[in-house]
Amino acid sequence: MQGGPFLSVGQFLTHHVGQAVHKVNTESRYSGLRALVPRACAVQQRLESGLVDVDSGPIVLFHGDFSNRNMLVTMDGQVCGADVCEEVMLC
């Protein structure tokens, strides 16, 4: 059963790293991150070459916008949940 347009987690990550690099290189609001592009490209090359095994791990929920504004905290400061309405992906 295919879970989307990518055949593996490696393909998914390679694609998204490439999209991020493109945004940083082309959108002025990300210009402060341009120094990180060589590192991101190195990660992308390692993913493409198969040097990093990202496909054998478990499937987990990932919150694409995890921040303090999306956490549910009790009155005594214990994290008890996260807002997962729109930004959760199955990886």
Side-chain angles (χ1 to χ4, degrees):
M1 176 173 80
Q2 187 174 350
F6 304 102
L7 298 176
S8 69
V9 173
Q11 285 182 358
F12 172 84
L13 293 173
T14 299
H15 172 78
H16 286 287
V17 169
Q19 279 191 324
V21 166
H22 178 74
K23 279 186 178 183
V24 168
N25 282 331
T26 59
E27 296 183 29
S28 61
R29 64 183 170 160
Y30 298 119
S31 63
L33 298 174
R34 289 195 180 130
L36 299 174
V37 166
R39 283 184 167 179
C41 289
V43 167
Q44 188 176 28
Q45 288 174 347
R46 289 183 65 143
L47 288 166
E48 289 172 344
S49 70
L51 291 175
V52 179
D53 178 18
V54 293
D55 294 314
S56 62
I59 294 175
V60 296
L61 287 177
F62 174 79
H63 194 292
D65 186 26
F66 190 70
S67 69
N68 61 351
R69 70 177 183 271
N70 290 330
M71 289 187 274
L72 304 174
V73 182
T74 64
M75 293 300 285
D76 62 346
Q78 298 294 313
V79 176
C80 62
D83 169 22
V84 294
C85 294
E86 298 175 4
E87 294 292 332
V88 172
M89 298 183 296
L90 199 58
C91 298

